[in-house]
Amino acid sequence: MIIFDCNGVLVDSEPIATAVAAEAFQRVGINMTPEMVTRYFTGRRPTDMFVDVEKAAGVQLPARFAATVAAATLVRISQEVRAIPHVEHALSWLRGPKCVASSSSLDRVRVSLDSTELARFFGRNVYSANDVAEGKPAPDLFLHVAQQTGVEPKDCIVVEDSAAGVSAAVAAGMVAIGFVGGSHADEALPGKLEAAGATLVIADMRALKGAVMELRGF
């Protein structure tokens, strides 16, 4: 089975989400830029980000802060999100079961997939880290996916764009392919993904089929 992260792998949504989060932090007096959100929180659950920011800043965020950020993100994603270049090609040519495992809420993942017409490739096989105890880099989400689909972790290949996601896949006993083709990726990202345990790193979705075949021994 091939397990895809959503943001930055299937859809180019990271710049949208980081901009919304940074603007929200700034409105409550926390000096956070989109670049800082990307650097420290890519691949992680928004709820975990909010907890870490509260601890680091020594403040308590407003009661409706998380809900406000989530709603604003959904609106902008529905209006602005685009599929990662050539991802439809990759999904069309990959054989076998495929699913999505994201740190985002199920609502956000569904909006992302529907807005880019990618939902048809996954059906009901869409999972959110909100359904498990610990988010990435913990392995909980990927182990949950394996249990729900009846596929052994060793038979899963994960496509991830963050060190947290790659670490989670490796900890779950799965093989990870790092993807660095999103618009948020910088020159340091390939090294970070390799250091986290990615077996292969690709920058173009047209290379995904070959990478999967290599890992499967074809």
Side-chain angles (χ1 to χ4, degrees):
M1 180 168 65
I2 312 297
I3 304 175
F4 291 85
D5 180 38
C6 185
N7 311 306
V9 172
L10 297 173
V11 300
D12 204 6
S13 57
E14 289 291 0
I16 300 171
T18 56
V20 171
E23 290 165 6
F25 283 129
Q26 291 166 10
R27 283 196 296 271
V28 296
I30 297 174
N31 184 24
M32 185 78 75
T33 65
E35 292 74 21
M36 293 169 68
V37 176
T38 297
R39 184 182 312 136
Y40 295 111
F41 301 111
T42 295
R44 299 185 59 200
R45 296 186 298 192
T47 51
D48 296 332
M49 172 176 66
F50 299 146
V51 169
D52 284 357
V53 169
E54 284 184 324
K55 290 179 181 178
V59 300
Q60 185 171 356
L61 294 170
R64 294 285 301 167
F65 187 85
T68 299
V69 172
T73 303
L74 277 181
V75 169
R76 286 197 54 183
I77 283 178
S78 66
Q79 296 171 344
E80 303 173 28
V81 76
R82 298 290 182 270
I84 289 290
H86 311 297
V87 72
E88 186 172 356
H89 169 87
L91 293 171
S92 297
W93 283 98
L94 282 174
R95 299 293 177 258
K98 296 178 278 288
C99 74
V100 180
S102 174
S103 292
S104 297
S105 69
L106 197 57
D107 284 347
R108 176 174 160 185
V109 177
R110 287 294 186 190
V111 167
S112 297
L113 297 177
D114 288 341
S115 297
T116 54
E117 301 184 351
L118 298 177
R120 60 193 172 91
F121 292 104
F122 303 102
R124 299 178 62 183
N125 290 333
V126 179
Y127 302 91
S128 166
N130 288 353
D131 295 329
V132 296
E134 298 290 336
K136 303 170 186 178
D140 299 31
L141 177 57
F142 292 127
L143 293 174
H144 174 68
V145 170
Q147 181 181 44
Q148 291 296 308
T149 58
V151 179
E152 290 293 327
K154 65 181 178 60
D155 295 324
C156 297
I157 296 173
V158 177
V159 187
E160 273 282 357
D161 70 314
S162 71
V166 170
S167 295
V170 173
M174 301 177 180
V175 175
I177 295 174
F179 178 69
V180 295
S183 62
H184 67 290
D186 59 21
E187 62 182 14
L189 186 57
K192 292 178 180 178
L193 300 184
E194 290 174 350
T199 302
L200 298 172
V201 175
I202 62 172
D204 190 316
M205 276 296 169
R206 288 172 292 188
L208 182 58
K209 181 181 178 182
V212 169
M213 291 180 67
E214 179 179 342
L215 292 176
R216 287 176 169 169
F218 293 112

